[in-house]
Amino acid sequence: MIEPTLASLFPTSEEIPERYRWTADDTGLSLLVDGEVRRFGGDRQTIHSAVAVRGAEGALAALPLGPAALAGEAEGLAAVEAAARAWANGRGEWPRASTATRIACCRDWLARVEALRERVALALMWEVGKPWKDALVEVDRTVEYVRATLDTLAEMERSAAAPVLAGGFAARVRRAPLGVALCLGPYNYAINEVFTLVVPALLMGNPVVIKTPRYGVLANALLAPSLAASFPRGVVNLVTGSGPSLVGPMMASGRVDVLAFIGSARTAAILERQHPHPYRLRRVLGMGAKNPAIVLADADLERAAAEIVAGALTFNGQRCTAIKHVLVDRRVAEPLVERLAARVAALGVGMPWQEGVTVTPLPDPAHPAYLAGLVEDAVGRGARVVNRGGGESAGSLVRPAVVYPVVREARLFVEEQFGPIVPVSTFDTPEEAVGIVERSEFGQQVALFGRAPELVGPLLDHLANLVCRVNLDTQCRRGPDVYPFTGRKDSAVGTLSISDALRVFSLRSLVATTEAQAARLTELGATSCFLAPPPD
């Protein structure tokens, strides 16, 4: 059987199934500022799909999806000023609203989002290259996350309803908002990871400004009218454009109280330095990761290979939680690599609407060349590409590569590839593998494969102090969303999960009186939102 070339996997315009076609429009020009959705009339750029189309001569051309606004300093400052007015130094309607009111607004928004489910998923598929079923899952998971967050907040409020009695005093302790939250999510989960920041921030009373990811503009812009309809004026603002042009002035204004950012540590450091009052800035940061899989000599190699391939190559490895480096005991390296190569060869490569496809086009047109450079560097230092055709590319499509053995001097050993490359390195002792984790700039997760309790137990103890999640005989991942999601070193600041996110976007505050006057804390609930009874 002759395998098709990668270029031939791209469709002609006529070969795109009718159901999945995208009709270009001006959705990407939508800005939401101060309660109004308007079409931006200034500079713009064309949004191109991750999917290219084949022309008559077989040449590949990026498929245009429509224009995107290149909003600049004026629009960014207008958005942050609108949020600042909604905050009004804590006197605004939203920060003083009851929990029940905020929950009702979010429920109204959810109903609108569900009506847009397939359109938003289609936008994700075309712009980011996410497989169709995964795009639907992303929208559904976001809705489920919001519902669970609403339920968790209501339960938190009920738990905090009773006065706290201590030392002759009575107090009602609740969580209060922080101020204006600037939310910047990543393109790989352009809806889910944006709104897992935005919704907890809103529910705790913080007005927000959303700067859309560089890819995923359309999916977010589609939601702008629903946000305007469900929340009070200025509470949610959404802008699109170049990060330096938009975000830099917003940070420099000093109006941002919370920076919620998912991206690189380098960019996070730049944004922090731009704020004139860094000690007033609360940071919620999800940054890089180079999550390793450590495979011990007694590991179940079939299970390890299955989990590693799924963990490394789901959505092309474009996940911060992806397994990005395989560390294997030298004694079992060859049989593991053989299993990895076989499983990678069996992965479906093609267009995101096709059934059974795992590897799809990448949204960043510059990334295939970057990945090729990483592989070339590793091969130049003695590694080889184990699977046939690994690392080949055509346009935005890259065939996954298992690269072995990757030495310490190779860029692939330390750089986060964020793509379909599986670097494999060997170790002679478990302590050597742990030492690699110790020296890494990152500290998010590790996957550990092994059987002997006398070896695995002590390793778990050590690794739990180096990363924030140890996955035993399974791949790295974020969920379930009730689990804390964070990292050490350059991987994260703050913790995200359903309950942790509500805490990270708020601060404990209290009203106290003498124990003899404890009844007043209940009586004043009729006129004070802070002291109001919890939602039913």
Side-chain angles (χ1 to χ4, degrees):
M1 176 181 176
I2 299 175
E3 291 188 10
T5 64
L6 285 180
S8 70
L9 297 178
F10 288 98
T12 64
S13 296
E14 294 74 21
E15 290 172 341
I16 299 171
E18 184 70 32
R19 175 186 177 188
Y20 299 110
R21 292 184 181 182
W22 178 268
T23 302
D25 58 24
D26 64 354
T27 297
L29 297 178
S30 299
L31 303 181
L32 169 56
V33 178
D34 203 20
E36 296 181 6
V37 178
R38 63 175 186 269
R39 296 292 188 262
F40 182 64
D43 293 343
R44 60 186 66 185
Q45 64 181 0
T46 300
I47 302 173
H48 287 102
S49 173
V51 176
V53 293
R54 280 187 293 114
E57 303 299 321
L60 300 177
L63 185 69
L65 303 176
L70 282 176
E73 179 176 347
E75 290 73 32
L77 289 177
V80 80
E81 288 295 335
R85 286 193 296 273
W87 170 243
N89 291 319
R91 299 192 308 272
E93 173 189 353
W94 189 251
R96 293 191 301 113
S98 67
T99 300
T101 297
R102 295 179 197 150
I103 287 176
C105 289
C106 284
R107 291 199 190 283
D108 181 80
W109 179 69
L110 272 186
R112 299 173 192 274
V113 172
E114 290 182 289
L116 295 168
R117 173 181 181 259
E118 292 211 357
R119 183 65 172 169
V120 171
L122 194 66
L124 286 174
M125 186 192 78
W126 279 106
E127 193 172 354
V128 185
K130 183 160 290 192
W132 169 243
K133 288 186 177 179
D134 290 347
L136 288 171
V137 167
E138 179 170 343
V139 178
D140 293 342
R141 182 182 174 189
T142 304
V143 170
E144 291 166 8
Y145 181 96
V146 174
R147 284 205 184 102
T149 303
L150 298 179
D151 293 341
T152 299
L153 177 58
E155 180 56 37
M156 286 172 59
E157 288 290 294
R158 286 191 287 269
S159 298
V164 177
L165 305 177
F169 290 88
R172 175 81 190 280
V173 183
R174 296 187 65 232
R175 303 201 70 88
L178 300 167
V180 174
L182 174 59
C183 298
L184 299 94
Y187 71 79
N188 56 330
Y189 287 92
I191 291 299
N192 184 258
E193 291 203 353
V194 168
F195 286 95
T196 55
L197 298 175
V198 168
V199 170
L202 286 172
L203 282 171
M204 300 316 290
N206 307 283
V208 303
V209 177
I210 304 168
K211 192 298 191 170
T212 63
R214 55 181 172 148
Y215 310 114
V217 171
L218 292 170
N220 281 277
L222 283 167
L223 297 178
S226 66
L227 292 167
S230 297
F231 295 95
R233 181 171 183 166
V235 169
V236 187
N237 304 272
L238 182 148
V239 289
T240 295
S242 164
S245 300
L246 274 172
V247 180
M250 284 192 270
M251 293 297 291
S253 73
R255 292 290 204 176
V256 174
D257 301 296
V258 187
L259 172 63
F261 169 76
I262 299 177
S264 71
R266 182 183 63 83
T267 301
I270 292 171
L271 297 177
E272 289 179 43
R273 287 196 296 268
Q274 291 173 327
H275 199 285
H277 307 293
Y279 296 112
R280 299 183 191 175
L281 182 67
R282 176 70 67 93
R283 300 172 299 159
V284 184
L285 308 177
M287 299 176 287
K290 185 76 171 176
N291 294 333
I294 298 176
V295 184
L296 303 178
D298 68 341
D300 179 337
L301 297 185
E302 288 292 344
R303 180 186 179 95
E307 291 292 326
I308 288 169
V309 170
L313 296 176
T314 297
F315 189 40
N316 302 313
Q318 297 174 115
R319 301 176 297 129
C320 68
T321 57
I323 291 175
K324 300 191 176 79
H325 196 182
V326 180
L327 306 174
V328 56
D329 190 298
R330 190 181 305 276
R331 291 170 289 180
V332 295
E334 291 290 344
L336 176 69
V337 167
E338 290 174 6
R339 287 167 170 80
L340 292 175
R343 287 185 176 274
V344 169
L347 294 178
V349 180
M351 296 301 105
W353 55 81
Q354 294 174 329
E355 287 286 338
V357 164
T358 299
V359 180
T360 54
L362 305 176
D364 184 348
H367 209 57
Y370 169 73
L371 296 174
L374 291 179
V375 173
E376 182 181 357
D377 174 75
V379 169
R381 298 177 187 276
R384 70 183 191 277
V385 177
V386 178
N387 57 306
R388 187 173 65 177
E392 292 177 353
S393 66
S396 55
L397 197 56
V398 177
R399 196 181 299 278
V402 178
V403 185
Y404 166 79
V406 176
V407 297
R408 293 174 185 268
E409 295 77 17
R411 292 167 56 198
L412 256 178
F413 197 93
V414 293
E415 291 186 30
E416 182 184 10
Q417 64 270 34
F418 213 72
I421 308 297
V422 185
V424 183
S425 303
T426 60
F427 61 82
D428 292 305
T429 66
E431 290 73 21
E432 183 184 348
V434 172
I436 293 170
V437 181
E438 286 180 345
R439 290 187 294 274
S440 175
E441 295 178 359
F442 305 112
Q444 189 196 80
Q445 297 189 33
V446 64
L448 178 62
F449 298 89
R451 295 174 176 171
E454 66 275 11
L455 181 57
V456 172
L459 285 176
L460 290 176
D461 291 345
H462 193 169
L463 290 168
N465 291 334
L466 299 176
V467 299
C468 289
R469 177 166 170 162
V470 181
N471 302 276
L472 186 58
D473 294 322
T474 188
Q475 63 180 278
C476 302
R477 51 168 57 87
R478 173 169 174 161
D481 288 321
V482 295
Y483 290 171
F485 179 56
T486 185
R488 299 176 186 266
K489 296 187 275 190
D490 287 353
S491 284
V493 175
T495 300
L496 293 174
S497 72
I498 290 175
S499 58
D500 289 310
L502 293 169
R503 294 185 180 97
V504 82
F505 283 105
S506 60
L507 188 69
R508 295 183 86 197
S509 189
L510 64 130
V511 174
T513 186
T514 62
E515 189 171 346
Q517 297 195 98
R520 295 205 68 200
L521 298 176
T522 301
E523 294 166 2
L524 288 169
T527 56
S528 166
C529 287
F530 189 93
L531 296 175
D536 297 330

